[in-house]
């Protein structure tokens, strides 16, 4: 009798401990999350506008068929289930039955078909849905995508901010290409995501509030999200510290990251950027001058010290990267890289036919894509001086001028940050594909052309077997590391900062904040 | 005897000599002039004497001031801040002087012609002056630099083209006053060529307030350039004080010295220019001594 | 404008001439604005590259064909004068064009941000004037005292230190160290409350930027006030007042000051352009959501219509500021028709 009682006691004790533990983790409903956007958002419609600044509010306002977990596994979202045919040419999405837009209209497969059309016509990322020929809508809750060829990248393209389902009855009132400048992109925005738009004040803030009829029961947890627009990084840092901001993503300044890491109330993590995949690189224009010679490019790679960049400039906040694919991606295949070797660099330059004459071997110019990478640019100037290459820094006061230079091949060297956007097909192919040479900024502006690379990329794009695909990309990465049209040094150290006491379930999955934060709550 | 000699020495001094005397007696202005002299000396000879290339990475980044022989520490790339400040002096002074010079040339020309000829010439020139006065100076300069490139000459041009209206106003005002004076009337009626009257007769007498304004303009040109650099509209191949502040702005929270030292450099330079300007004002306009 | 009025000084009836001057001035202001438009438009046209590039880049790049299509669509292939004419015609109808970068009509965009800048500019001017005049009057009474020198020092600091540097220092000092003031922006959106609560919130956010901007002009106003006050205190008019036994306070504040204020107000009017320039930098430091930050992002994005619109509006603000200054001038001393 007695030991049964003791067992019972132990069991109850254990049960109560377990109960309280899970109770402590139970998300609380309510509250206003104050977060921040680091630059001004121009357009809230993520179906036509790319970029992380639009992605954060966009992914709250609009829903996509899938969402991904931290293990790169697709999870149901608007699509409660999906099938891909054997030949990979048909993808069927079975939509949830109860999804509604913020104005009460039910979401149907017509909206999905419409959205794909809109994205194809307006979104800058052409490779996402290029193979999609048509979207059939046999019934209101089934969308069938018919592909011209197998397209494994499609899965990732149907998540995050890449495939926002927009209401046809609102955006379908004109030509498909009119959606890009549609007035409802900035006000009265209607989607089917967990939050609806309350107010968007250009340059000041975006305010969202819970959509009570969200198709996932009991979610979202937050009442309101306030996204303040604060462009000055130091001001943001102060705001995190004194509690004015609960959370913020895309902080990339090493000094500030390290400073915030030292603050007790904050958690600073590099998690959440695997799918966005931001990489820093030194692009070299292979179409003209000394840079058309691979030995010269290798020499430059040997002269620019990744270690210095990582330790001194990045202050240890960035990860190493040796290829065009982000280290967090399942397709990443690390290469040996180019460690600092000034002698080797000098040797290669001599071999390439550029000996030292009057104290210099050659003169090159270097541009930069955004002010944040100016330290690296200045470092390259100093580093290349050590192998007697004269570098002149060119500044473009505005983005279109710089973009034009890149798009027309009017540059020698350029330092920039570029994103993978999930699947290599979306963000990586564009850089190395010889059919994409000089098609505007962030295309193959290096004029790089390698038949084998083209072949590998084409095969990988349609290869549905994961193992085979990895092998293809492994070879791909080996070649581009060897020919180095682009010298990869490190990842851009995006970090998410949040108040440990206040924020539960911060968005640090593979898509970071470009994903619905319906599971985030305030403690 | 001694009385006579003192009286004689007073009488024999030209107005300029007397002005210099007054200036000398103004301690604040003197100090300003001396410090300014040091700054200019640094700008000219500093880089050669100090020897360290401001672009070269000489040490670990963010080394605090005073550590390991680097008096002002190092910046985010490990470059010597002292070298940056010394070399920056050159750019700041050059731009300051050139832009001020350009403004003065334009302003004096406009003001002189307007004040001398009066009539419709004055009307037109004054309209033009008011037009430039109404333009938002920094914004306009930003647009010029953004559109046509951020090189030293272009920056100088942009600053100069928006800053000349004050000089024009003062010049015109002086010309209006002086042209009515007897000795000028005499020249005018005696048929002397107008340009000669302007340059040899009126202008020398109009100089005092123009000189003062010019001196102050150098200071404001330096501040202007600092503002443009802070916003990033600067030539990346040269170092300027404003640029150092701009590129180090994100590190103010814990490497504040990288922003403080160039700021102090600008502050001291402009302050000294203001003091000298004040001193010149007092010295050249003794009747308006307290203005 | 001030020159203009010198020729139309107030003789005869006050009200009639006042309205007359106002009308004449307004027409003149419109002409001035047109001139500003033409100059700015021409300048942007002169520059390498054009709007088509901007649009193309905003869409992620384009090849020659698409660029041509864009040019035709937006009438960029028309002769310059035609484009200019069309632009001016639009502006007359209060249509400043469409921003490709923000995807909003420029007029709306600017009107959203204008109040913030106006608030900053006018409050800084008023603070600088009030404080400057006060300090000037005080130091005029004891020209060589400690207060006087202290005032000169503070004023000189504000003037000589780059305004953005002052702003950063104040930010570190009062937002970070002491946490007395918020770090950025114009208001705390999460605050619930009525009109007074929200207004107080804006005021709290306004204080540091306002002080920063005012510090630059404090020097000018305080020193000019001091100089003109000293002059006034030496005139026969004032000495007579003393002789008549008028109390010191009254002499200083009612008689001397009234005359001394004119030049200071004139100076303040002439500074509007400089104040707006300062505001651009202050807005950058404090993330103040005004025209300055809009201008900066537009320049970076080569958003021509917005840039033109902002230049236009800033000129407008300066002109209105001048007008108000002249009005204030008349309030202070109706005898004066205009200073030059």
């Amino acid at each position: 009798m007695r030991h049964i009682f003791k067992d019972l006691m132990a069991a109850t004790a254990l049960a109560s401990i377990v109960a309280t533990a899970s109770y402590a983790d139970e998300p609380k409903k309510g509250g206003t999350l104050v977060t921040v956007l680091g630059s001004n958002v121009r357009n809230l419609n993520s179906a036509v506008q790319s970029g992380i600044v639009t992605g954060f509010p966009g992914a709250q306002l609009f829903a996509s068929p899938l969402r991904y977990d931290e293990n790169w596994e697709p999870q149901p979202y608007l699509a409660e289930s999906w099938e891909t045919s054997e030949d990979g040419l048909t993808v069927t999405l079975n939509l949830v039955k109860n999804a509604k837009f913020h104005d009460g209209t039910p979401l149907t497969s017509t909206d999905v078909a419409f959205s794909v059309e809109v994205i194809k016509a307006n979104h800058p990322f052409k490779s996402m849905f290029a193979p999609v020929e048509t979207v059939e809508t046999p019934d209101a809750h089934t969308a069938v995508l018919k592909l011209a060829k197998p397209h494994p990248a499609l899965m990732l393209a149907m998540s995050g901010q890449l495939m926002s389902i927009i209401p046809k009855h609102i955006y379908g009132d004109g030509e498909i290409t009119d959606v890009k400048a549609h007035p409802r992109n900035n006000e009265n925005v209607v989607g089917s995501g967990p939050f609806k738009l309350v107010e968007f004040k250009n340059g000041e803030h975006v305010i969202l509030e819970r959509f009570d009829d969200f198709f996932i029961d009991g979610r979202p947890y937050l009442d309101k999200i306030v996204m303040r627009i604060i462009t000055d990084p130091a001001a943001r840092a102060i705001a995190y510290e004194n509690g004015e901001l609960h959370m913020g993503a895309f902080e990339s300044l090493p000094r500030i990251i390290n400073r915030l890491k030292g603050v007790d109330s904050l958690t600073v993590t590099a998690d959440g950027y695997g799918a966005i995949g931001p990489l820093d690189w030194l692009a070299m224009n292979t179409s003209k001058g000394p840079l058309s010679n691979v030995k010269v490019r290798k020499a430059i790679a040997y002269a620019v010290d990744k270690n210095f960049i990582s330790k001194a400039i990045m202050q240890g906040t960035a990860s190493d990267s040796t290829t065009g694919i982000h280290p967090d991606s399942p397709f990443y295949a690390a290469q040996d890289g180019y460690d600092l070797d000034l002698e080797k660099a000098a040797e290669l330059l001599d071999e390439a036919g550029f000996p030292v004459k009057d104290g210099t071997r050659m003169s090159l110019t270097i541009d930069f894509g955004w002010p944040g990478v100016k330290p690296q640019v200045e470092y390259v100037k100093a580093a290349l001086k050590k192998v007697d290459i004269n570098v002149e820094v060119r500044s473009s006061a505005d983005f279109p001028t710089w973009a034009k230079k890149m798009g027309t091949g009017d540059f020698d060297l350029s330092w920039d940050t570029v994103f993978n956007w999930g699947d290599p097909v979306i963000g990586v192919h564009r850089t190395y594909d010889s059919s994409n040479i000089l098609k505007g900024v962030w295309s193959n502006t290096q004029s790089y052309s390698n038949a084998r690379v083209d072949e590998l990329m084409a095969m990988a794009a349609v290869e549905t077997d994961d193992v085979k695909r990895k092998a293809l990309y492994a070879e791909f990465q080996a070649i581009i590391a060897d020919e180095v049209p682009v010298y990869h040094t490190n990842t851009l150290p995006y970090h998410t900062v949040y108040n440990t006491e206040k924020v539960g379930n911060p968005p640090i999955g593979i898509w970071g904040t470009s994903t619905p934060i319906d599971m985030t709550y305030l403690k | 005897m001694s009385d006579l000699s003192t009286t004689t020495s007073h009488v024999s001094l030209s107005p300029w000599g007397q002005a210099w005397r007054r200036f000398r007696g103004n301690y604040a202005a003197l100090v300003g002039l001396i410090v300014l002299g040091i700054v200019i000396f640094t700008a000219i000879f500093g880089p050669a004497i100090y020897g360290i290339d401001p672009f070269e990475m000489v040490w670990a980044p963010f080394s605090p001031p005073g550590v390991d022989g680097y008096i002002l520490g190092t910046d985010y790339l490990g470059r010597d801040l002292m070298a940056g400040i010394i070399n920056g002096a050159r750019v700041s002074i050059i731009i300051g002087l050139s832009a001020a010079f350009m403004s003065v040339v334009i302003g004096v020309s406009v003001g002189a012609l307007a004040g001398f000829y009066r009539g419709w010439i004055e009307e037109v020139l004054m309209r033009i002056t008011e037009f430039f006065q109404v333009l938002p100076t920094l914004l306009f300069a930003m647009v010029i630099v953004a559109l046509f490139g951020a090189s030293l000459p272009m920056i100088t041009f942009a600053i100069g083209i928006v800053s000349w209206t004050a000089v024009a106003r003062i010049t015109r005002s002086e010309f209006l006053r002086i042209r009515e004076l007897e000795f000028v009337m005499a020249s005018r009626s005696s048929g002397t060529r107008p340009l000669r009257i302007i340059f040899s007769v009126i202008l020398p007498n109009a100089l005092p307030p123009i000189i003062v304004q010019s001196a102050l303009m150098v200071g404001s040109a330096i501040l202007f350039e600092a503002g443009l650099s802070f916003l990033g509209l600067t030539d990346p191949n040269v170092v300027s004080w404003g640029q150092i502040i701009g590129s180090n702005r994100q590190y103010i929270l814990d490497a504040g010295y990288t922003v403080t030292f160039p700021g102090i450099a600008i502050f001291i330079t402009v302050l000294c220019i203001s003091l000298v300007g004040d001193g010149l004002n007092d010295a050249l306009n003794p009747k308006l001594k307290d203005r | 404008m001030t020159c203009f009025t010198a020729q139309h000084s107030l003789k005869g009836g006050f009200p009639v001439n006042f309205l007359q001057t106002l009308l004449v001035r307004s027409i003149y202001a419109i002409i001035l604005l047109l001139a500003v438009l033409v100059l700015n438009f021409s300048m942007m046209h002169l520059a390498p590259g054009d709007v088509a590039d901007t649009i193309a880049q905003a869409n992620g790049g384009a090849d020659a064909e698409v660029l041509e299509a864009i040019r035709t669509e937006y009438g960029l292939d028309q002769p310059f004068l035609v484009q200019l004419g069309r632009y001016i015609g639009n502006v007359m109808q209060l249509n400043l064009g469409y921003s490709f970068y923000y995807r909003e009509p420029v007029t709306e965009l600017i009107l959203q941000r204008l109040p913030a800048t106006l608030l900053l500019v006018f409050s800084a001017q008023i603070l600088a004037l009030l404080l400057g005049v006060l300090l000037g009057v005080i130091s005029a009474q004891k020209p060589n005292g400690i207060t006087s020198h202290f005032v000169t020092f503070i004023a000189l600091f504000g003037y000589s230190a780059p305004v953005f540097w002052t702003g950063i220092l104040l930010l570190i000092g009062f937002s970070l160290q002491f946490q007395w003031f918020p770090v950025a922006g114009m208001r705390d959106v999460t605050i619930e409350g009525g009109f007074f609560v929200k207004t107080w919130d804006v005021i709290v956010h306004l204080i540091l930027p306002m002080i920063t901007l005012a510090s630059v002009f404090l020097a000018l106003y305080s020193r000019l006030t001091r100089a003109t006050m000293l002059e006034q205190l030496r005139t026969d008019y004032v000495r007579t007042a003393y002789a008549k036994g008028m109390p010191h306070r009254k002499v200083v504040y009612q008689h001397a000051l009234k005359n001394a204020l004119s030049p200071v107000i004139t100076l303040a009017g002439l500074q509007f352009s400089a104040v707006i320039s300062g505001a651009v930098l202050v807005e950058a430091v404090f993330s103040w959501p005004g025209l300055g930050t809009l201008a900066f992002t537009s320049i970076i994005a080569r958003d021509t219509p917005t840039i033109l619109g902002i230049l236009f509006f800033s000129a407008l603000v300066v002109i209105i500021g001048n007008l108000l200054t002249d009005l204030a001038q008349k309030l202070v001393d109706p005898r004066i028709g205009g200073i030059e």
Side-chain angles (χ1 to χ4, degrees):
Chain A
M1 258 323 235
R2 220 175 288 145
H3 71 256
I4 299 177
F5 187 70
K6 249 214 259 176
D7 282 351
L8 217 63
M9 283 281 281
T12 328
L14 199 62
S16 58
I17 293 176
V18 171
T20 20
S22 54
Y23 185 80
D25 284 338
E26 185 96 351
K28 282 199 344 223
K29 267 198 139 180
T32 303
L33 179 75
V34 182
T35 176
V36 69
L37 296 170
S39 48
N40 197 18
V41 54
R42 298 140 50 189
N43 192 327
L44 296 174
N45 188 345
S46 37
V48 300
Q49 176 74 47
S50 67
I52 51 184
V53 192
T54 299
F56 190 9
Q60 316 313 317
L61 293 166
F62 299 101
S64 50
L66 307 177
R67 62 201 293 179
Y68 268 73
D69 64 18
E70 309 88 57
N71 302 315
W72 292 79
E73 292 295 330
Q75 300 292 329
Y77 191 23
L78 269 181
E80 55 185 13
S81 64
W82 56 93
E83 299 105 37
T84 315
S85 65
E86 280 280 321
D87 59 3
L89 298 178
T90 310
V91 177
T92 310
L93 301 172
N94 301 311
L95 307 172
V96 296
K97 308 280 193 296
N98 60 337
K100 288 208 188 79
F101 287 110
H102 300 152
D103 61 358
T105 320
L107 184 151
T108 66
S109 53
T110 327
D111 297 302
V112 175
F114 173 69
S115 303
V116 173
E117 240 192 294
V118 169
I119 295 175
K120 277 184 81 163
N122 295 295
H123 198 282
F125 294 164
K126 298 297 175 212
S127 56
M128 285 198 300
F129 298 106
V132 177
E133 289 182 322
T134 54
V135 181
E136 290 166 11
T137 55
D139 64 63
H141 300 286
T142 314
V144 182
L145 285 82
K146 290 262 187 243
L147 309 175
K149 50 185 175 123
H151 189 43
L154 184 65
M155 297 308 281
L156 271 165
M158 293 199 288
S159 69
Q161 64 175 94
L162 298 178
M163 184 165 165
S164 300
I165 305 300
I166 61 178
K168 182 169 183 178
H169 63 277
I170 292 183
Y171 292 100
D173 57 353
E175 297 288 328
I176 285 283
T177 41
D178 285 346
V179 183
K180 200 151 178 101
H182 203 281
R184 297 289 286 270
N185 285 348
N186 285 334
E187 42 176 38
N188 269 332
V189 182
V190 163
S192 65
F195 295 92
K196 54 183 187 185
L197 182 67
V198 173
E199 182 179 75
F200 168 41
K201 261 215 168 119
N202 204 311
E204 280 195 59
H205 53 244
V206 178
I207 304 184
L208 309 171
E209 77 179 0
R210 177 200 298 134
F211 177 42
D212 290 314
D213 260 335
F214 185 51
F215 63 88
I216 302 181
D217 230 6
R219 304 231 280 262
Y221 299 126
L222 296 167
D223 280 338
K224 251 166 114 168
I225 306 177
V226 172
M227 301 176 178
R228 294 180 60 185
I229 296 177
I230 303 180
T231 49
D232 185 54
R236 291 200 299 271
I238 299 178
Y240 295 128
E241 272 181 71
N242 66 16
E244 271 180 61
L245 292 176
H246 295 139
M247 181 187 99
F250 300 107
E251 296 298 339
S252 64
L253 294 177
R255 197 79 184 167
I256 293 193
I257 293 172
N258 284 333
R259 179 198 172 86
L260 292 174
K261 277 187 178 163
V263 177
D264 283 329
S265 57
L266 301 174
T267 308
V268 181
T269 170
D271 289 334
Y273 299 98
I276 290 178
L279 293 174
D280 268 3
W281 77 23
L282 177 63
M284 307 194 236
N285 192 344
T286 66
S287 72
K288 56 180 183 144
L291 293 172
S292 54
N293 187 326
V294 66
K295 288 204 173 127
V296 172
R297 300 200 298 269
K298 279 172 123 88
I300 292 180
Y302 278 118
V304 173
D305 185 7
K306 293 172 63 160
N307 256 316
F308 180 83
I309 295 180
S310 170
K311 285 219 199 70
I313 301 182
M314 293 302 178
Q315 313 245 302
T317 54
S319 311
D320 189 32
S321 96
T322 48
T323 81
I325 297 185
H326 194 272
D328 285 351
S329 164
F331 297 109
Y332 181 64
Q335 307 296 316
D336 286 330
Y338 294 85
D339 284 330
L340 179 68
D341 195 334
L342 289 176
E343 276 171 22
K344 190 116 190 250
E347 223 181 276
L348 284 167
L349 287 168
D350 282 332
E351 278 176 40
F354 293 98
V356 182
K357 262 194 274 206
D358 303 317
T360 178
R361 297 179 192 269
M362 66 179 85
S363 286
L364 297 170
T365 61
I366 182 167
D367 291 87
F368 51 102
W370 60 293
V373 297
K374 201 142 170 277
Q376 285 89 313
V377 165
E378 292 170 334
Y379 166 65
V380 168
K381 178 180 167 125
L384 290 184
K385 187 147 184 240
K386 297 210 179 116
V387 288
D388 304 300
I389 297 181
N390 210 12
V391 174
E392 187 204 324
V393 178
R394 299 200 307 190
S395 77
S396 315
D398 55 62
F399 175 75
T401 311
W402 171 79
K404 188 170 183 192
K405 282 188 205 161
M406 299 303 292
T408 49
D410 175 22
F411 72 99
D412 289 329
L413 301 168
S414 173
W415 195 287
D416 197 8
T417 306
V418 189
F419 299 168
N420 270 183
W421 289 110
D423 192 288
V425 168
I426 305 175
V428 182
H429 284 209
R430 54 184 172 163
T431 311
Y432 299 96
D433 195 332
S434 63
S435 62
N436 200 28
I437 292 183
L438 294 184
K439 292 262 166 44
V441 70
W442 297 316
S443 66
N444 185 345
T445 50
Q446 294 69 248
S447 300
Y448 176 65
S449 176
N450 180 311
R452 179 66 184 153
V453 165
D454 286 340
E455 211 188 324
L456 287 167
M457 289 199 295
M459 291 200 290
V462 300
E463 180 54 68
T464 44
D465 181 311
D466 235 13
V467 174
K468 288 205 195 124
R469 220 176 163 218
K470 280 205 182 112
L472 289 169
Y473 277 128
E475 195 190 330
F476 161 75
Q477 290 171 79
I479 300 180
I480 58 173
D482 185 52
E483 304 216 307
V484 73
V486 169
Y487 178 39
H488 286 278
T489 53
N490 53 269
T491 62
L492 182 70
Y494 276 144
H495 280 68
T496 300
V497 179
Y498 62 94
N499 190 314
T500 331
E501 305 271 305
K502 295 220 181 90
V503 181
N505 262 340
I508 47 180
I510 65 168
W511 277 121
T513 53
S514 293
T515 199
I517 59 172
D518 54 327
M519 295 198 277
T520 307
Y521 62 95
L522 281 174
K523 298 189 190 164
Chain B
M1 276 321 238
S2 47
D3 286 329
L4 259 175
S5 51
T6 23
T7 329
T8 340
S9 63
H10 271 264
V11 164
S12 63
L13 267 181
S14 69
W16 294 105
Q18 290 176 30
W20 169 240
R21 255 267 191 91
R22 282 191 289 270
F23 187 89
R24 252 178 30 208
N26 183 341
Y27 291 128
L30 262 187
V31 170
L33 190 62
I34 295 175
V35 176
L36 204 54
I38 298 179
V39 173
I40 295 180
F41 179 82
T42 312
I44 302 177
F45 299 109
I49 298 179
Y50 190 67
I52 298 185
D53 182 356
F55 285 108
E56 201 188 312
M57 287 158 296
V58 291
W59 200 244
F62 294 119
S63 175
V67 168
D68 298 314
Y70 292 104
I71 317 171
L72 296 182
T74 61
D75 72 350
Y76 55 95
L77 278 185
R79 304 184 295 200
D80 186 0
L81 207 58
M82 187 62 154
I85 302 241
I86 290 179
N87 284 270
R90 202 176 258 189
V91 172
S92 300
I93 301 269
I94 290 179
I95 293 190
L97 286 173
S98 325
F101 179 72
M102 180 179 158
S103 290
V104 168
V105 166
I106 300 179
V108 167
S109 311
V110 170
L113 291 173
F116 182 75
Y117 282 110
R118 316 252 14 226
W120 65 271
I121 295 186
E122 182 191 17
E123 278 299 310
V124 169
L125 286 175
M126 279 301 106
R127 292 305 141 255
I128 298 180
T129 310
E130 288 179 27
F131 172 76
F132 274 90
Q133 213 166 284
V134 148
L135 281 178
T137 47
L138 184 63
L139 287 174
F140 197 69
M142 278 165 72
V143 174
I144 294 180
V145 171
L147 289 179
F148 298 103
S151 61
L152 283 190
M154 191 53 70
I155 296 177
T156 307
F157 172 77
I159 299 179
I161 199 82
V162 297
S163 313
W164 57 266
T165 57
V167 181
R169 255 184 301 114
I170 290 180
T171 309
R172 171 171 162 275
S173 169
E174 281 296 290
F175 267 63
L176 286 179
R177 180 180 67 87
I178 296 177
R179 80 199 290 277
E180 308 300 329
L181 294 178
E182 274 185 36
F183 67 99
V184 179
M185 301 283 273
S187 304
R188 280 161 66 193
S189 44
S190 75
T192 328
R193 275 166 42 241
L195 270 169
R196 189 130 193 277
I197 303 182
I198 292 179
F199 282 105
S200 313
V201 180
I202 306 184
L203 193 55
N205 288 290
L207 275 182
I210 296 179
I211 291 182
V212 175
Q213 184 66 23
S214 312
L216 295 175
M217 296 214 56
V218 178
S220 65
I222 293 181
L223 287 173
F224 206 120
E225 185 273 329
L228 283 175
S229 301
F230 175 72
L231 292 173
L233 296 164
T234 171
D235 186 338
N237 292 300
V238 299
V239 183
S240 85
W241 290 333
Q243 194 202 76
I244 301 180
I245 297 184
S247 9
N248 285 292
R249 178 173 152 196
Q250 57 217 34
Y251 309 113
I252 47 165
L253 291 182
D254 40 23
Y257 62 91
T258 50
V259 164
T260 311
F261 289 130
I264 292 181
I266 299 178
F267 167 63
I268 289 181
T269 308
V270 177
L271 181 64
C272 291
I273 293 178
S274 306
L275 289 175
V276 167
D278 272 358
L280 282 173
N281 203 9
D282 291 348
L284 295 171
N285 301 317
K287 282 172 292 199
L288 309 166
K289 187 180 185 319
D290 299 297
R291 265 198 178 271
Chain C
M1 253 189 309
T2 43
C3 161
F4 207 78
T5 46
Q7 298 162 26
H8 290 254
S9 57
L10 289 174
K11 295 178 194 151
F14 178 86
V16 173
N17 259 350
F18 180 72
L19 284 176
Q20 189 183 32
T21 355
L22 199 60
L23 184 66
V24 168
R25 275 271 216 86
S26 306
I27 296 179
Y28 179 65
I30 294 178
I31 299 178
L32 203 60
L33 280 173
L34 269 175
V36 170
L37 269 180
V38 173
L39 175 74
N40 292 330
F41 190 88
S42 316
M43 198 175 64
M44 303 235 50
H45 207 84
L46 259 179
D50 64 5
V51 187
D53 288 320
T54 316
I55 302 173
Q57 294 313 331
N59 295 352
D63 48 30
E65 262 180 53
V66 183
L67 280 175
E68 274 314 303
I70 297 179
R71 290 215 174 88
T72 326
E73 192 190 328
Y74 290 102
L76 293 171
D77 52 350
Q78 306 274 27
F80 170 68
L81 282 175
V82 172
Q83 289 189 49
L84 178 61
R86 193 131 50 88
Y87 183 69
I88 294 184
N90 282 337
V91 175
M92 299 285 223
Q93 299 166 45
L94 297 178
N95 171 15
L96 284 169
Y98 185 79
S99 160
F100 308 109
Y101 183 73
Y102 290 99
R103 305 202 198 280
E104 259 187 72
V106 174
T107 325
E108 267 180 47
L109 203 53
I110 294 184
L111 288 178
Q112 267 178 27
R113 310 286 203 109
L114 188 61
T117 299
L118 286 180
L119 182 62
L120 180 60
V121 165
F122 280 99
S123 63
Q125 270 278 54
I126 293 175
L127 177 67
L129 262 176
L130 288 178
L131 202 55
V133 167
L134 185 65
L135 291 174
V137 166
I138 293 178
S139 53
Q141 291 172 57
K142 289 210 192 88
N144 291 312
I146 296 188
T147 337
S148 182
H149 287 302
F150 179 70
V151 166
T152 313
F153 176 72
I154 296 277
L156 275 180
F157 179 90
Y159 175 76
S160 309
V163 69
F164 53 90
W165 189 59
T166 316
I168 292 179
L169 289 179
L170 286 178
L171 195 62
I172 300 183
F174 294 105
S175 280
L176 184 60
Q177 283 301 117
F178 295 126
Q179 296 200 9
W180 288 348
F181 296 104
V183 124
M186 192 164 103
R187 60 184 119 227
D188 181 354
V189 196
T190 55
I191 281 195
E192 308 285 324
F195 175 73
F196 287 110
V197 173
K198 293 220 162 117
T199 311
W200 179 248
D201 180 45
V202 173
I203 293 179
V204 164
H205 279 85
L206 179 63
I207 292 186
L208 283 185
M210 179 177 74
I211 293 180
T212 308
L213 190 52
S215 69
V216 179
F217 303 95
L218 196 61
L220 296 176
Y221 303 154
S222 64
R223 273 141 54 98
L224 187 58
T225 309
R226 178 165 164 272
T228 51
M229 276 299 286
L230 280 174
E231 222 177 77
Q232 284 296 317
L233 289 174
R234 272 193 276 243
T235 58
D236 292 336
Y237 174 66
V238 168
R239 289 209 208 119
T240 322
Y242 273 124
K244 283 204 203 144
M246 217 182 268
H248 175 71
R249 274 243 133 119
K250 206 164 173 218
V251 176
V252 168
Y253 288 99
Q254 277 195 354
H255 292 262
L257 186 56
K258 224 168 49 154
N259 294 334
L261 269 185
S262 274
V264 185
I265 294 185
T266 311
L267 184 64
L270 290 170
Q271 295 303 314
F272 266 105
S273 186
V275 180
I276 292 184
S277 301
V280 172
L281 294 167
V282 170
E283 285 183 19
V285 171
F286 291 95
S287 299
W288 187 260
L291 283 185
T293 29
L294 185 66
F296 190 59
T297 34
S298 311
I299 291 176
I300 298 279
R302 193 67 167 268
D303 187 5
T304 311
T306 311
I307 299 177
L308 286 175
I310 295 178
L311 287 172
F312 176 78
F313 260 91
S314 319
L316 186 64
V317 171
V318 174
I319 291 178
I320 293 182
N322 282 346
L323 211 67
L324 288 174
T325 309
D326 282 340
L327 284 176
Q329 197 75 277
K330 296 209 178 11
L331 278 175
V332 165
D333 193 346
R335 294 173 306 163
I336 300 180
I339 311 292
E340 181 53 273

